[in-house]
Amino acid sequence: MRYSYPPILNPVLKIEKPVKEWSITRILLVLGTPLVALVLLLMTAATSRITTHYLNRASARNAHTRALAQAHELQQLLKEARYELLNLAGSDLTPSAIQRYMMDKPTTKRNKYCEIAFHGTSQADNFVLLNTGEQVWRVPDEQAAAVKFGTFKRKERIGGKIQDFVQVDQPMQVYYTSVPYLGSVENMEFSVIRLSTPVIGENDSFQGYLTLSVDILEIQRIMALFSSRQSPLYIFPQEKERNRSFFFDASGWLICETADPSGPQNRVSIDDIRTGLQGDLGRPGFDSAFRPSPQYEEYWSVVSAVQSGKDGEIGFSNFLHDPNKIGKDHYLYYVPIRFQESPEQDPVIIGGIGCIDTSYMLKTSRHDVATALGISWVSAVLLTFGAFVYLERRISKPLVRLTRATENIALGDTEANLELAPLPRELGHLQHAINILLLQLRNTRNESRIRQGVFLEEMKRQPVCLDTLTDGGTDRDAPQAAEKEFGIVGNSLAVRNLAGMIRKAAHVMADVLIVGETGTGKELAAEAIHRASSRSSGPFISINCGALDENLLMDALFGHVKGAFSEAKTDRKGAFLAATGGTLHLDEIGNASPKVQQALLRALAVRRIRPLGTDQDQPFDARVIAATNVDLRESATNGTFREDLYYRLAVITITTPPLRDRREDIPALVRYFLMEHASGRSIPELSRGALDKLMLHDWPGNIRELKNCITRAMTFAEGSILLSEHIVLGQPTPQAPAASPHIETPTPEARTPRRDETPPKADDRANGPGDALGATPSPMSPPDSDAPPELSVRQRKAWPTIVKNGGTNRAQYQEAVGEEVSVRTAQYDLQELVARGLLKKTGKGPSSRYVLTGRFR
């Protein structure tokens, strides 16, 4: 079953296979990592919810504690004021004594109180003292009596004659004019909470009422303290706009709030908390008080709870009736303010304090927790990914090693077993099973190899129909015509091209230069040109320029007259005159001496020769066909061959192809040589193995080497089929037994030709017993002990010099042999050493050199 995936995942993950075909790596990364990430995400979300829940509880408890602490501080302020009032009531009540008492107190404690007033039974005892901050000033009686809501406007009786009874009034605002302050006269406004107690004199006589006013600014300072860094409960940076507290009386009127640090510090305000609210501004006795309208039900539920003496919390957004839920994460914590008027009575509720936690401590804590959990989740996912990658490598890497080792052993020929270590235990079992399979595979392979070897060996011994291979060309008539017309065996493209060039060259009378390696049939090509030309009825004279020394070659080419030298008994025409009406073939022209080259250049230029011993030039009528196995252009560049002679000869240049470039002609050549050497007996067949061996050989000696190889095979083969073992490449014929006497046959080069005969042809020399088959060392000539035993006498004689110099060339080889060895014979000996693998040929033409192979260095 196949699945479809989002188009984005395919180019990234290259998911184009079924899940069942996925690799371990892909399963771990594509399936395992997301599943683990999802599980971790669910755990992180659950942890976040649990953490947020407890953070909410901790934050609520902290804010509630802060509200309780502020309420406690306010109650302590009123309690201290009560003690101060009772202390003043029991002391000297003269204005001067009270002034001294108050001035002796520290400024911070003195400034908690604004007014000290006494209303006695006698009007003359009444006085009002006002704390301006720098002094306690007595307000003139007339001015004090004229102040609205002043102390002396109270007509009702408070508390009766009850000792230790202190009555608390609702907060109010009082105004004083012309108050001396800092060297000037100012009008002052005070927001106070008045505490009053009866004064009992001696004999429990009632003397009047003493009033002490607590500055509401002190309440505001306490609330500001708990919203600052100096708060005893400080745990997080808290600013005014983030943590606000407010004080309201028992009737629900908002009196004051946390002071704004940037605003005036000596003014009671409720402007911030009432912003955006609807309600009543100002009540009798307190102009800046504010009472929200009844639509704010949550607020009035808070007031009702405070009146009942309860504390608690409420959502700030509900308290403000916030439709946009801007303050949904903020809460209001409220606590009632109690005052103990009498030890025998329960405390009275004079108001309450509300603490609005608008700080971002909870939000910040949630954000920090969410960030930490997010980082933890990402880290866990990355660690999981890394763990999966490690597990994948831990699993797949040994598998890959095991797979590669198995492939190497299975595809190779080694007999070794898998021995990979360390491996997991499971893979160790798999390795053991693989070794068993490899053993069975090796046994099967060996059996198959044996059967195949037997089959191939049998196939190699099967005879091949050479006629079928020879006639398999695309154009059968052309090669057969070439063979009948020119005697050139083969049906390859190279042979057809050669036949075409011979045919064209035969139709003109220009001189021809035939270039080709040794054994490629240069003389055969020259004879073919002669037979196909109009001069075919004339003689065909072949002279090997490399087989004779300079004088003999000059005599053979140009002839002599009687008496030209001591042995000149009769006249001799020479090759140029002997070839009149026919063709003169100059073989190995590249080996001619400079003197011979100069004589040839003159003869070819003027078409006349001058025999030895006469001053008379004689014209000749012969076509010249030169042949060489060296690069005459390179020799001309090196200065070893005359350049003008080269351009005189190379009117028409024909190149005979080497046998390695026309391997498809080997079957036809083999058939030809088998028929040629049959000698009246039945023609032996050639096995497939022998043909393959012939086809794979490079044939440095070309057709001549192939002919010699077939001759050797037919000589020593038994039976009617030439097998692969009968084909000896680069090897001489087996030597005669040591006990048999042997006389070395002199080579044609060692015999000085008579002056009245034409020098022998190149092919006759090459096929002599001393070159084609190799001469067996004579018992009379002691061979060099370090020379290979298969070498001929000449080769063994030159071998120490070759080893000493690390190699040789043709001239050095002739010098080392020390006999009158022709160039052709020296080249054949060196090529035979190359075929045996003793030397390696480097370079071409005159720069050719034969160096020792690695086994003799």
Side-chain angles (χ1 to χ4, degrees):
M1 177 178 180
R2 295 187 177 270
Y3 307 91
S4 61
Y5 303 94
I8 298 179
L9 292 179
N10 280 332
V12 176
L13 300 177
K14 298 181 179 179
I15 302 175
E16 64 271 353
K17 295 182 179 180
V19 178
K20 294 181 180 180
E21 299 180 11
W22 285 7
S23 63
I24 297 176
T25 305
R26 183 171 295 178
I27 292 176
L28 290 176
L29 297 183
V30 177
L31 298 180
T33 302
L35 289 177
V36 174
L38 180 60
V39 172
L40 292 176
L41 183 61
L42 294 176
M43 295 178 61
T44 302
T47 304
S48 177
R49 289 182 63 86
I50 296 173
T51 305
T52 302
H53 171 72
Y54 283 103
L55 280 176
N56 291 338
R57 292 184 58 185
S59 177
R61 181 170 296 179
N62 177 71
H64 197 185
T65 302
R66 188 164 58 250
L68 292 173
Q70 293 183 55
H72 175 74
E73 289 296 324
L74 294 181
Q75 292 175 165
Q76 284 295 109
L77 175 64
L78 296 176
K79 187 176 181 179
E80 290 178 3
R82 183 177 187 276
Y83 290 155
E84 289 290 346
L85 180 61
L86 294 176
N87 188 30
L88 289 174
S91 61
D92 188 0
L93 291 178
T94 60
S96 58
I98 293 177
Q99 286 177 330
R100 287 194 302 272
Y101 175 78
M102 295 300 293
M103 292 302 295
D104 290 340
K105 285 185 171 294
T107 303
T108 55
K109 289 189 176 183
R110 182 178 70 243
N111 290 340
K112 295 179 181 180
Y113 312 110
C114 295
E115 299 171 313
I116 303 174
F118 180 70
H119 184 200
T121 55
S122 174
Q123 187 174 1
D125 296 334
N126 295 342
F127 63 86
V128 175
L129 298 178
L130 187 65
N131 181 16
T132 64
E134 62 178 3
Q135 63 176 346
V136 178
W137 175 66
R138 181 175 181 177
V139 179
D141 296 340
E142 298 79 6
Q143 182 180 354
V147 175
K148 186 179 181 181
F149 298 111
T151 302
F152 299 106
K153 293 295 183 180
R154 292 169 52 88
K155 300 297 183 180
E156 70 276 8
R157 183 186 176 117
I158 59 172
K161 294 182 179 180
I162 303 175
Q163 194 162 359
D164 294 337
F165 178 80
V166 176
Q167 178 177 301
V168 61
D169 292 338
Q170 291 295 325
M172 64 178 56
Q173 290 176 331
V174 294
Y175 302 91
Y176 295 91
T177 60
S178 303
V179 178
Y181 179 71
L182 296 179
S184 63
V185 178
E186 296 183 3
N187 297 327
M188 289 190 174
E189 173 187 338
F190 296 95
S191 299
V192 297
I193 298 177
R194 288 175 175 165
L195 304 179
S196 300
T197 185
V199 178
I200 307 299
E202 295 179 358
N203 301 322
D204 295 331
S205 59
F206 176 72
Q207 296 182 358
Y209 299 99
L210 183 64
T211 300
L212 179 63
S213 298
V214 178
D215 193 352
I216 294 181
L217 287 176
E218 188 64 22
I219 297 176
Q220 194 167 275
R221 282 193 291 270
I222 290 174
M223 292 188 296
L225 173 66
F226 278 88
S227 297
S228 66
R229 292 177 180 268
Q230 288 73 34
S231 171
L233 302 178
Y234 171 78
I235 61 172
F236 199 80
Q238 301 168 4
E239 300 178 0
K240 183 258 176 186
E241 65 273 8
R242 295 186 177 179
N243 291 280
R244 292 182 290 173
S245 300
F246 61 90
F247 172 68
F248 58 94
D249 62 12
S251 300
W253 287 89
L254 296 173
I255 303 302
C256 67
E257 65 179 351
T258 304
D260 186 357
S262 61
Q265 301 298 312
N266 57 353
R267 179 177 175 272
V268 175
S269 174
I270 201 70
D271 295 338
D272 290 341
I273 195 66
R274 72 181 181 86
T275 299
L277 300 180
Q278 298 179 2
D280 301 327
L281 179 63
R283 69 167 172 80
F286 212 110
D287 294 337
S288 63
F290 176 77
R291 182 174 61 186
S293 63
Q295 66 178 342
Y296 301 106
E297 297 178 359
E298 297 294 337
Y299 171 75
W300 288 107
S301 66
V302 170
V303 174
S304 176
V306 169
Q307 291 174 349
S308 303
K310 299 178 181 178
D311 57 17
E313 68 179 59
I314 187 174
F316 187 58
S317 60
N318 296 329
F319 169 71
L320 288 178
H321 190 62
D322 182 8
N324 296 325
K325 303 296 181 182
I326 298 176
K328 62 180 180 179
D329 291 331
H330 302 158
Y331 295 89
L332 168 67
Y333 303 90
Y334 55 88
V335 180
I337 305 298
R338 297 177 173 87
F339 181 75
Q340 190 78 34
E341 291 185 331
S342 172
E344 291 82 10
Q345 297 178 357
D346 293 331
V348 297
I349 304 298
I350 65 171
I353 186 169
C355 181
I356 305 173
D357 184 12
T358 60
S359 70
Y360 293 96
M361 180 178 65
L362 181 58
K363 275 189 174 181
T364 304
S365 300
R366 290 177 181 173
H367 179 268
D368 293 343
V369 170
T371 302
L373 290 176
I375 294 175
S376 300
W377 178 79
V378 173
S379 301
V381 171
L382 293 178
L383 289 176
T384 302
F385 181 82
F388 282 162
V389 172
Y390 171 76
L391 289 177
E392 182 273 330
R393 292 187 176 181
R394 190 75 175 87
I395 296 174
S396 64
K397 192 173 182 179
L399 280 176
V400 172
R401 289 175 52 206
L402 192 61
T403 302
R404 291 178 178 175
T406 303
E407 291 177 353
N408 294 335
I409 294 178
L411 298 178
D413 293 332
T414 178
E415 299 293 331
N417 292 328
L418 287 176
E419 297 294 341
L420 300 181
L423 287 178
R425 183 176 60 182
E426 295 79 2
L427 293 183
H429 297 330
L430 179 60
Q431 179 177 257
H432 177 68
I434 291 175
N435 283 330
I436 295 176
L437 293 177
L438 288 176
L439 178 60
Q440 296 178 353
L441 178 62
R442 283 194 294 268
N443 293 337
T444 303
R445 182 184 294 172
N446 292 335
E447 294 176 0
S448 176
R449 188 177 299 169
I450 292 174
R451 289 195 299 269
Q452 185 178 6
V454 172
F455 176 76
L456 291 178
E457 187 65 25
E458 185 64 25
M459 285 292 294
K460 289 181 179 180
R461 292 181 175 272
Q462 295 296 323
V464 179
C465 183
L466 297 177
D467 294 337
T468 303
L469 297 177
T470 301
D471 297 337
T474 57
D475 187 0
R476 301 182 181 181
D477 295 336
Q480 291 176 0
E483 182 175 354
K484 293 179 181 179
E485 183 178 2
F486 305 119
I488 300 176
V489 180
N491 59 355
S492 64
L493 178 62
V495 170
R496 293 198 296 271
N497 292 337
L498 177 62
M501 296 178 67
I502 291 174
R503 191 175 293 108
K504 293 177 182 179
H507 294 163
V508 296
M509 292 297 105
D511 295 337
V512 179
L513 175 63
I514 301 176
V515 180
E517 297 180 6
T518 299
T520 56
K522 295 186 293 298
E523 186 172 355
L524 179 63
E527 292 179 356
I529 295 174
H530 170 72
R531 289 195 301 270
S533 67
S534 58
R535 294 176 175 267
S536 59
S537 59
F540 178 81
I541 305 298
S542 179
I543 298 296
N544 192 326
C545 299
L548 302 175
D549 59 16
E550 182 178 289
N551 294 329
L552 292 177
L553 181 59
M554 290 288 291
D555 182 56
L557 290 175
F558 304 107
H560 60 266
V561 297
K562 181 180 178 180
F565 48 86
S566 59
E567 297 181 2
K569 305 299 182 181
T570 60
D571 293 341
R572 184 180 182 181
K573 292 183 179 181
F576 275 97
L577 294 179
T580 299
T583 302
L584 175 61
H585 176 224
L586 301 179
D587 197 8
E588 302 296 342
I589 189 66
N591 296 327
S593 65
K595 181 179 178 181
V596 176
Q597 293 180 28
Q598 183 178 2
L600 288 175
L601 175 63
R602 180 180 180 279
L604 295 176
V606 299
R607 311 305 288 188
R608 301 173 69 88
I609 64 169
R610 180 178 297 174
L612 182 63
T614 181
D615 294 334
Q616 299 296 324
D617 291 339
Q618 298 182 18
F620 68 90
D621 179 20
R623 183 182 189 180
V624 177
I625 300 178
T628 182
N629 61 352
V630 298
D631 188 354
L632 294 185
R633 183 187 297 273
E634 182 179 355
S635 299
T637 303
N638 298 334
T640 58
F641 193 82
R642 295 182 64 95
E643 186 175 9
D644 47 4
L645 177 59
Y646 167 73
Y647 288 111
R648 178 68 65 178
L649 292 173
V651 178
I652 298 175
T653 302
I654 296 177
T655 302
T656 55
L659 185 56
R660 60 179 173 273
D661 293 341
R662 41 178 294 211
R663 295 179 186 272
E664 59 268 34
D665 292 334
I666 291 179
L669 292 170
V670 170
R671 183 189 63 176
Y672 178 81
F673 294 142
L674 289 176
M675 296 175 62
E676 183 181 14
H677 294 284
S679 301
R681 60 177 180 174
S682 61
I683 301 175
E685 294 180 307
L686 188 69
S687 68
R688 187 177 302 275
L691 180 61
D692 292 341
K693 191 172 183 180
L694 294 173
M695 294 293 290
L696 294 176
H697 188 51
D698 285 339
W699 301 111
N702 294 292
I703 300 175
R704 184 176 297 114
E705 182 182 1
L706 175 62
K707 180 179 180 181
N708 294 340
C709 179
I710 297 300
T711 302
R712 285 195 296 268
M714 293 183 66
T715 302
F716 298 102
E718 298 178 357
S720 60
I721 298 178
L722 295 182
L723 302 177
S724 175
E725 53 267 25
H726 297 150
I727 304 299
V728 181
L729 301 175
Q731 301 283 343
T733 55
Q735 298 180 6
S740 301
H742 177 77
I743 300 176
E744 182 178 359
T745 304
T747 60
E749 293 84 349
R751 181 176 58 87
T752 302
R754 298 188 306 271
R755 296 188 179 274
D756 57 349
E757 69 177 1
T758 303
K761 298 182 182 180
D763 289 343
D764 294 337
R765 289 191 309 274
N767 292 334
D771 293 321
L773 301 179
T776 304
S778 172
M780 306 285 296
S781 58
D784 184 77
S785 59
D786 295 333
E790 66 270 18
L791 300 185
S792 66
V793 175
R794 294 188 303 275
Q795 293 168 343
R796 295 173 65 86
K797 189 174 183 179
W799 185 254
T801 304
I802 296 175
V803 174
K804 180 180 178 181
N805 298 332
T808 185
N809 56 22
R810 177 184 54 77
Q812 291 176 349
Y813 180 81
Q814 290 178 288
E815 183 180 355
V817 172
E819 301 175 359
E820 188 179 351
V821 180
S822 66
V823 174
R824 184 59 174 253
T825 302
Q827 288 181 343
Y828 186 84
D829 288 350
L830 292 173
Q831 290 178 1
E832 190 175 31
L833 292 176
V834 172
R836 297 176 188 273
L838 304 177
L839 297 180
K840 179 180 179 182
K841 183 180 179 181
T842 60
K844 295 182 178 180
S847 60
S848 299
R849 182 169 178 80
Y850 301 85
V851 297
L852 287 172
T853 57
R855 54 185 286 199
F856 292 104
R857 289 182 181 175

